[in-house]
């Protein structure tokens, strides 16, 4: 342990998203715009869901959780990325790096579980509509939400703590644009077999478990939708569920490639792009995916804006 402590650097050098410095400024503005849209979109969903009485349902409770999660998720990485892109300093302190790794892994695992729970909510809403409000009461929603957050926290504490204990032997260059566990494990100079196995096994459980729940839920949902007699009813159910399926695809696709393959396999440049996709693009896209295909949210936003405008006139 003494040797491990002696090998800890004061900071890390982040190689960034690209090897071409002339791309730093354009990427900075792209991130600035995407981060602004992420903040505005997710905050809008949280505010409208909390203030509009017609959105007080389990679906919007979980959607609020997802929006808050996305706000924290993108804030964990994007400000640091913009700081490194906006100037010559590409460093991050050791404490900052480890804090980022703990929080990012916590939030990422939480979102995996939360998306599975949201599929379960959709299953109950479509397949058991008469008992929906009884089954998915506020107490159960809180319990399911707590399960998602606590599962992510427990996994992050396990994985990140094991990674922090790896010896670095003076290595301080991280070939990534933020501190993520697979990159930190690759940078270690000791035997990382146990870390890689635990990361792969737990990632498989946390990805394939909720993903299996999602697939099973939507098989039952599809059967129920085809039995709905009215075209408008089928269309409403399809629009609601398709939004969730699109979010699931955007989030799980990159995660499966990054976390469920043997360490060292795959292009690091591709890994960076996929990581950027699910930690920047997906949180920005989620509010638009859920609102553009959801008339209830659109109407709630309109009511909120009308009230805001009328109150200003008074």
């Amino acid at each position: 342990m003494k040797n491990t402590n002696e090998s800890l650097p004061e900071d890390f050098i982040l190689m960034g998203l690209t090897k071409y410095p002339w791309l730093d400024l354009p990427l900075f503005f792209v991130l600035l715009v995407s981060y602004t849209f992420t903040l505005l979109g997710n905050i809008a969903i949280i505010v409208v869901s909390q203030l509009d009485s017609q959105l007080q349902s389990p679906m919007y409770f979980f959607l609020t959780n997802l929006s808050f999660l996305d706000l924290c998720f993108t804030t964990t990485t994007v400000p640091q990325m913009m700081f490194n892109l906006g100037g010559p300093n590409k460093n991050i302190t050791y404490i900052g790096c480890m804090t980022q790794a703990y929080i990012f892994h916590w939030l990422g695992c939480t979102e995996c579980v939360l998306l599975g729970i949201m599929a379960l909510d959709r299953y109950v809403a479509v397949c058991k509509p008469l008992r929906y409000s009884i089954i998915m009461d506020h107490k159960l929603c809180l319990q399911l939400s707590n399960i998602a957050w606590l599962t992510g926290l427990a996994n992050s504490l396990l994985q990140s703590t094991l990674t922090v204990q790896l010896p670095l032997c003076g290595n301080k260059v991280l070939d990534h644009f933020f501190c993520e566990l697979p990159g930190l494990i690759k940078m270690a100079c000791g035997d990382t077999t146990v870390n890689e196995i635990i990361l792969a096994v737990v990632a498989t459980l946390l990805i394939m478990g909720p993903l299996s729940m999602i697939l099973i839920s939507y098989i039952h949902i599809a059967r129920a939708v085809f039995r709905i007699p009215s075209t408008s009813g089928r269309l409403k159910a399809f629009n609601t569920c398709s939004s969730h399926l699109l979010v699931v695809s955007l989030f799980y696709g990159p995660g499966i490639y990054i976390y469920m393959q043997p360490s060292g396999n795959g292009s690091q440049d591709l890994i960076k792009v996929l990581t950027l996709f699910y930690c920047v693009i997906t949180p920005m896209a989620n509010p638009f995916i859920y609102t553009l295909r959801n008339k209830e949210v659109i109407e709630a936003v309109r009511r909120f804006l009308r009230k805001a405008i009328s109150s200003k006139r008074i």
Side-chain angles (χ1 to χ4, degrees), residues 280-300:
V280 177
I281 305 301
T282 303
M284 179 188 69
N286 283 353
F288 299 99
I289 292 172
Y290 277 105
T291 55
L292 293 178
R293 300 182 65 88
N294 191 318
K295 292 182 179 179
E296 291 179 344
V297 177
I298 293 174
E299 289 300 321

Side-chain angles (χ1 to χ4, degrees), residues 9-27:
E10 292 184 0
D11 55 17
F12 291 110
I13 300 173
L14 299 174
M15 296 293 289
L17 182 63
T18 175
K19 299 176 183 178
Y20 305 103
W22 60 272
L23 285 174
D24 284 358
L25 190 59
L27 285 172

Side-chain angles (χ1 to χ4, degrees), residues 91-134:
N91 294 7
I92 182 173
T93 64
Y94 176 81
I95 298 298
C97 182
M98 293 307 154
T99 302
Q100 189 179 63
Y102 270 97
I103 296 176
F104 183 85
H105 205 62
W106 173 24
L107 298 174
C109 296
T110 300
E111 185 151 348
C112 280
V113 180
L114 183 61
L115 289 174
I117 291 172
M118 292 176 73
L120 179 63
D121 170 68
R122 291 297 83 210
Y123 161 75
V124 178
V126 175
C127 299
K128 302 180 184 297
L130 299 179
R131 300 180 58 196
Y132 178 56
S133 59
I134 299 174

Side-chain angles (χ1 to χ4, degrees), residues 23 41 50 61 85 87 137 153 165 226-227 240 280 292 296:
L23 285 174
Q50 293 299 310
F61 171 81
L85 288 170
D137 60 7
L153 178 61
Q165 295 177 358
F226 286 123
R227 289 198 296 265
T240 302
V280 177
L292 293 178
E296 291 179 344

Side-chain angles (χ1 to χ4, degrees), residues 11-16 76-77 80-81 84 90-106 160 163 172-185 187 259 275 278-279:
D11 55 17
F12 291 110
I13 300 173
L14 299 174
M15 296 293 289
T76 304
T77 57
Q80 179 67 44
M81 291 166 58
N84 293 137
K90 309 299 180 185
N91 294 7
I92 182 173
T93 64
Y94 176 81
I95 298 298
C97 182
M98 293 307 154
T99 302
Q100 189 179 63
Y102 270 97
I103 296 176
F104 183 85
H105 205 62
W106 173 24
S160 302
T163 303
K172 58 185 301 183
V173 178
L174 182 59
D175 190 12
H176 217 312
F177 53 84
F178 76 106
C179 296
E180 193 179 23
L181 295 188
L184 292 171
I185 292 174
M187 193 172 60
Y259 286 96
T275 306
Y278 76 76
C279 74

Side-chain angles (χ1 to χ4, degrees), residues 112-113 115-116 206-207 210-211 214 247-256:
C112 280
V113 180
L115 289 174
L206 282 175
I207 291 176
L211 192 58
I214 292 168
V247 170
V248 166
S249 302
L250 292 175
F251 184 80
Y252 276 92
I256 289 173

